[in-house]
Amino acid sequence: MKQKPDLSFWKLWNLSFGFFGVQIAYALQSANISRIFRTLGADPHSLSFFWILPPLMGILVQPIIGTLSDRTWTRFGRRIPYLFVGAAVAVAVMCLLPNAGSFGMAVGTALIFGLVALMLLDTSINMAMQPFKMLVGDMVNEKQKAKAYSIQSFLCNAGSVVGFLFPFVFTWIGLSNVAPEGVVPDSVIWSFYVGAAILILCVLYTVAKVREWNPQEYAEYNAVSEEQEGSANWFVLLKNAPSTFWRVGLVQFFCWAGMLYMWTYVVDAVSETVWGTIDPTTTDYQEAANWTGVLYAIQAMGSVGWAALLPRFKNTKMAYAVSLVLGGLGFLLIPYIPDMYGQILPFLLIGCGWAAMLAMPFTFVTNALQGYGHMGAYLGLFNGTICVPQIVAALCGGTILSLVGSHQSSMMLVAGVSFILGSLCVFGIKDKK
């Protein structure tokens, strides 16, 4: 087997640049879905059920895309055709979803329309997102893999900052941040329109700049034949997966459950803690929703800064665990800071945990998978450690909300405890250097 060559910074950058656009779409979804469905008339106790669809689509789509792309060989590449088609569908759906309340439909019909659009959006985002992780696994050597995933993490967070800030910026330049009852404000609608345009341009850049290896070149660098890649039984792959796959998955369970509760309830939590309302028909609530987008952007910027410090830790597992503890503390602080600017601190701390969640799990797992083959299928299956905890958390969200007194801000405490439990599980990981 030939050693994979070192790639220049710009080649590593080009492998992941389209991820910037994909993450803008993902940030718009994460920050605005609860806002959109609350505006359409969803009850807070059923709000988490709307969040089942994104991870459910992820757990169905990503293993399929991983397995199919493992055995796809075209003149455009093996991964790139999937990310291009996924991005194209995402662009179309991004133009429909925020208009769910603008077509004169009854509340129930508008919620169903929004659910279908959300399902299609998350399916397409997952289809576009997964190939970028696979491209790094395919084409980057072990020495540069951490650097490649760090670049991907930087682009991910940069895209998040842009997506999170869009509603705030569009309100600032004069678009309306309020609308008739049941209708999504123009500031949100135009955020999705512009995000869709950036997404397709970024993906076109990656398609133009990246040349994937052909089957012969791939076999030379990866010591796996095309025939080996072509036959994958998911149950057999899971049975034979290295222990690191499952140990990192346990950490993922607690972290992604916590993130699901953040995405579902943080708009209401910030509005309740700082503005004293959870009524989506009020100007204060919409202002709180915009400010939460700014806080999300601050979280992403904190994540970029912390990601630059992570390589300074001599012990990778300690870096991972400390990051998750800091993220947990951030969640625990949110309900106790009634000042809008004071909320910056907890979101910076959450950014520390988010930085570790983006890069470290895939570094541990792709290192452990060397020599196993089926990299795309395995990474698709590993996505289940992201999706399953979100599905479980979404199913339990309404019950837990009732148990903590129906205060959305209290769900941040649940998220914080979940992160700290994840940090304890880090020490069970066996790292393959």
Side-chain angles (χ1 to χ4, degrees):
M1 180 181 73
K2 292 169 63 175
Q3 176 66 33
K4 293 178 185 178
D6 285 346
L7 301 179
S8 69
F9 171 83
W10 289 112
K11 286 186 176 180
L12 293 173
W13 176 273
N14 291 341
L15 279 177
S16 295
F17 182 73
F19 207 78
F20 174 79
V22 173
Q23 196 60 31
I24 289 177
Y26 192 68
L28 285 168
Q29 173 187 289
S30 300
N32 293 288
I33 288 304
S34 287
R35 177 183 189 177
I36 289 171
F37 282 107
R38 288 281 281 124
T39 300
L40 293 177
D43 180 81
H45 287 83
S46 62
L47 194 59
S48 67
F49 292 118
F50 293 97
W51 281 92
I52 293 174
L53 280 176
L56 183 61
M57 290 301 101
I59 201 171
L60 293 175
V61 172
Q62 296 213 27
I64 293 172
I65 297 303
T67 302
L68 290 178
S69 65
D70 277 343
R71 48 182 122 166
T72 296
W73 299 99
T74 72
R75 67 189 185 93
F76 301 106
R78 65 197 308 222
R79 316 294 188 187
I80 284 176
Y82 292 94
L83 74 89
F84 180 79
V85 172
V89 175
V91 166
V93 180
M94 287 175 73
C95 295
L96 290 174
L97 175 58
N99 288 295
S102 303
F103 299 134
M105 295 180 285
V107 172
T109 307
L111 288 173
I112 292 172
F113 178 90
L115 273 174
V116 173
L118 175 59
M119 180 182 68
L120 293 173
L121 177 60
D122 209 78
T123 299
S124 56
I125 288 177
N126 275 290
M127 188 173 179
M129 185 183 297
Q130 187 71 355
F132 288 105
K133 300 169 186 175
M134 299 173 192
L135 284 172
V136 173
D138 287 345
M139 303 181 69
V140 179
N141 62 36
E142 299 310 303
K143 183 174 67 175
Q144 291 189 301
K145 195 166 286 181
K147 181 179 181 181
Y149 279 123
S150 294
I151 291 172
Q152 199 169 95
S153 177
F154 170 79
L155 289 167
C156 172
N157 283 296
S160 295
V161 170
V162 174
F164 291 143
L165 286 177
F166 269 165
F168 181 84
V169 171
F170 286 142
T171 301
W172 180 72
I173 64 175
L175 289 181
S176 176
N177 193 46
V178 293
E181 185 174 351
V183 177
V184 176
D186 285 345
S187 58
V188 177
I189 293 174
W190 278 96
S191 295
F192 276 79
Y193 289 168
V194 176
I198 296 174
L199 166 59
I200 197 64
L201 289 174
C202 291
V203 168
L204 286 173
Y205 176 89
T206 292
V207 171
K209 291 291 186 178
V210 174
R211 186 190 75 85
E212 293 188 70
W213 290 325
N214 61 39
Q216 292 74 31
E217 290 172 316
Y218 180 84
E220 288 176 3
Y221 288 117
N222 288 276
V224 214
S225 70
E226 184 178 350
E227 288 75 19
Q228 283 177 296
E229 291 280 28
S231 55
N233 181 301
W234 293 348
F235 296 104
V236 173
L237 292 180
L238 289 172
K239 179 182 177 182
N240 296 329
S243 63
T244 299
F245 182 98
W246 299 107
R247 292 170 187 261
V248 176
L250 182 60
V251 180
Q252 295 270 83
F253 182 89
F254 290 108
C255 294
W256 285 97
M259 290 306 299
L260 187 282
Y261 289 140
M262 176 186 185
W263 295 328
T264 305
Y265 298 108
V266 76
V267 173
D268 280 10
V270 170
S271 185
E272 182 179 42
T273 302
V274 179
W275 276 266
T277 181
I278 56 170
D279 182 356
T281 65
T282 62
T283 302
D284 281 348
Y285 182 90
Q286 296 298 335
E287 183 181 346
N290 274 5
W291 183 246
T292 303
V294 175
L295 293 173
Y296 270 129
I298 289 169
Q299 170 204 320
M301 289 186 281
S303 183
V304 171
W306 187 252
L309 295 176
L310 283 176
R312 297 179 180 271
F313 283 82
K314 293 182 179 179
N315 186 314
T316 306
K317 289 197 293 186
M318 181 60 70
Y320 195 6
V322 168
S323 300
L324 297 182
V325 169
L326 291 174
L329 290 175
F331 283 117
L332 295 175
L333 286 173
I334 288 175
Y336 300 105
I337 301 179
D339 179 73
M340 62 185 290
Y341 297 106
Q343 288 284 340
I344 290 173
L345 173 61
F347 277 80
L348 284 173
L349 293 174
I350 293 169
C352 298
W354 183 241
M357 286 173 62
L358 287 177
M360 291 189 169
F362 286 97
T363 301
F364 284 125
V365 171
T366 53
N367 285 346
L369 287 173
Q370 291 307 307
Y372 277 73
H374 306 289
M375 180 66 77
Y378 265 118
L379 290 183
L381 291 168
F382 184 69
N383 189 66
T385 67
I386 296 173
C387 299
V388 170
Q390 293 182 67
I391 293 170
V392 173
L395 289 171
C396 299
T399 301
I400 294 176
L401 178 60
S402 297
L403 291 174
V404 296
S406 295
H407 291 288
Q408 282 86 325
S409 55
S410 298
M411 294 301 287
M412 300 302 99
L413 303 180
V414 176
V417 171
S418 189
F419 256 60
I420 291 170
L421 290 174
S423 72
L424 296 175
C425 297
V426 167
F427 296 102
I429 299 172
K430 295 180 180 179
D431 185 19
K432 177 184 176 182
K433 300 295 184 183

